[in-house]
Amino acid sequence: RILSHLTGIRYKDLTAGRYSPEEKEKIKDAIAWLKTRKFTHIYIPMFDQKTIYTTIKKVYHTQGVDVLVVDYFKGTQTEAFASYAELGALVDMIKNKCCGDLNIAGIGAAQATANGGVADSKKIIRNTSTLAMITDKTPEEIEADGPECGNKKLRVVANRNGMQHAQGEYIDLQFSGDYVLYEEAKQHVPEIPF
């Protein structure tokens, strides 16, 4: 997926091996560049505070960390209230003990409900610094905004660092699944406070 993003070659063409000699060179160059980057991916299917904290600290001290990405916050508890409390505490710990104490940026993902809320826990919202949601635009929104304004919208719904969007406000995005790429689209409102 990252090769598609970096080279501009459609993902399905990459996986099927349908690319030109010139595109093959782009792929080689992208792979060579990627080998010069420090990416660490650790798969922890069900993590708790202790596991993720010790993992982050180990990677931080052995090779350094600039940005921590948690994909995604999920609970281990089956009872709803216990899960909410667990997730809130986990977000708080990552925000303060990992990102804050180590002075690194952090980005986390959480599932959304059908009506656009945070699926697993309201306590995620309480303990996060900024919560932004990316959702599909409705056909009516695409028609009203114009196709050049994209097919997705980003809303800042909670923000301790500054402004958030009012109901009906959003930033226009264009998502291209063929290239695994989100880009800011032409904005349907000329003045946006972000």
Side-chain angles (χ1 to χ4, degrees):
R1 289 184 183 132
I2 197 164
L3 286 176
S4 178
H5 178 79
L6 293 172
T7 62
I9 301 168
R10 292 187 319 174
Y11 179 70
K12 63 183 175 183
D13 291 339
L14 269 171
T15 57
R18 291 188 304 258
Y19 41 80
S20 68
E22 296 82 20
E23 290 172 327
K24 185 175 184 176
E25 286 304 310
K26 282 184 178 182
I27 295 166
K28 280 183 178 176
D29 291 344
I31 290 170
W33 179 81
L34 278 170
K35 288 181 178 180
T36 68
R37 306 292 97 183
K38 286 170 87 176
F39 292 107
T40 301
H41 176 268
I42 299 172
Y43 177 65
I44 307 171
M46 297 303 286
F47 54 80
D48 58 19
Q49 286 191 41
K50 183 179 178 183
T51 304
I52 197 160
Y53 180 75
T54 55
T55 303
I56 293 165
K57 290 282 279 194
K58 181 180 178 184
V59 173
Y60 179 83
H61 288 296
T62 57
Q63 62 194 50
V65 175
D66 294 320
V67 178
L68 169 66
V69 178
V70 178
D71 180 19
Y72 65 97
F73 288 103
K74 58 190 173 290
T76 60
Q77 306 295 319
T78 55
E79 195 272 320
F81 182 76
S83 180
Y84 296 166
E86 175 191 26
L87 287 166
L90 183 60
V91 169
D92 190 54
M93 185 276 299
I94 288 174
K95 180 178 85 172
N96 294 310
K97 289 203 145 293
C98 297
C99 297
D101 290 354
L102 299 175
N103 196 28
I104 59 175
I107 301 170
Q111 289 185 328
T113 61
N115 64 358
V118 177
D120 289 325
S121 176
K122 291 281 187 202
K123 293 192 179 199
I124 288 176
I125 296 171
R126 185 188 77 198
N127 290 301
T128 191
S129 295
T130 304
L131 181 65
M133 300 188 86
I134 297 174
T135 55
D136 293 330
K137 284 187 179 182
T138 65
E140 295 78 21
E141 288 171 326
I142 293 172
E143 185 177 340
D145 297 346
E148 69 280 1
C149 293
N151 56 1
K152 302 276 186 183
K153 57 185 176 180
L154 181 141
R155 292 191 62 241
V156 176
V157 296
N159 192 1
R160 288 176 180 72
N161 298 316
M163 297 178 70
Q164 63 188 40
H165 287 108
Q167 193 65 29
E169 292 180 331
Y170 50 85
I171 296 171
D172 297 283
L173 298 176
Q174 179 63 45
F175 176 67
S176 303
D178 283 342
Y179 304 99
V180 195
L181 177 66
Y182 278 97
E183 294 181 297
E184 186 175 357
K186 178 181 177 213
Q187 299 303 300
H188 68 284
V189 180
E191 290 86 26
I192 293 182
F194 296 97

